[in-house]
Amino acid sequence: MGESRRSPLKSAVPSNIVSPVRRCSRTACGRPAVATLTYVYADSTAVLGPLATYAEPHCYDLCAEHGERLTAPRGWEVVRLTDPSGPTHPSGDDLEALANAVREAARPHDRAPQAGGRGPRAADPVEVARRGHLRVLRSPEP
């Protein structure tokens, strides 16, 4: 038998059924996927984040509606990660933080070096909580 010179992709039958757009993994839902759900079994955590760059075997793509309605089993925690490239709207906290930063910049500072001849040093962040390999850090108080 002779070996075929055609590549497997060129010999495939074109189909109008398969869409290049990733769809929601929920049964009977044909909406486009916007988020990816991953389970971290060791931490009893369900992580819902932006749509992954490629489909993973143990991850689930969800549409906006199913992503919003997602609940986890009893005793599990849902962590929702936001898409940093998506549009964000300033909150009241953001405006307050901006006002505080402007006030701090306008306040005169003591320029004298601290003991030991070194300038002021920012303290390290403080670990507030830990769940498995995830840590919550808080900025030190000034």
Side-chain angles (χ1 to χ4, degrees):
M1 263 195 185
E3 189 175 318
S4 174
R5 292 183 181 205
R6 296 174 64 185
S7 73
L9 294 177
K10 288 185 180 180
S11 65
V13 178
S15 171
N16 294 332
I17 299 172
V18 178
S19 170
V21 177
R22 287 171 39 197
R23 300 286 176 190
C24 183
S25 297
R26 296 293 299 263
T27 305
C29 181
R31 291 185 287 263
V34 297
T36 299
L37 172 66
T38 306
Y39 291 105
V40 182
Y41 294 98
D43 296 334
S44 300
T45 304
V47 180
L48 183 67
L51 188 62
T53 54
Y54 56 91
E56 291 277 345
H58 299 289
C59 295
Y60 304 93
D61 295 336
L62 298 177
C63 64
E65 181 181 342
H66 286 121
E68 290 172 6
R69 294 186 347 197
L70 175 74
T71 59
R74 182 176 290 141
W76 282 56
E77 182 180 356
V78 176
V79 175
R80 295 176 188 272
L81 304 174
T82 57
D83 184 7
S85 65
T88 58
H89 304 289
S91 68
D93 292 339
D94 293 336
L95 296 176
E96 184 178 349
L98 179 60
N100 289 339
V102 169
R103 285 187 201 108
E104 182 67 27
R107 187 179 315 158
H109 293 284
D110 182 18
R111 303 279 183 205
Q114 293 179 344
R118 295 183 182 173
R121 179 182 172 270
D124 294 332
V126 178
E127 184 175 323
V128 180
R130 184 178 199 108
R131 184 170 184 115
H133 67 281
L134 304 174
R135 296 185 309 162
V136 176
L137 301 177
R138 180 179 50 197
S139 297
E141 298 297 323

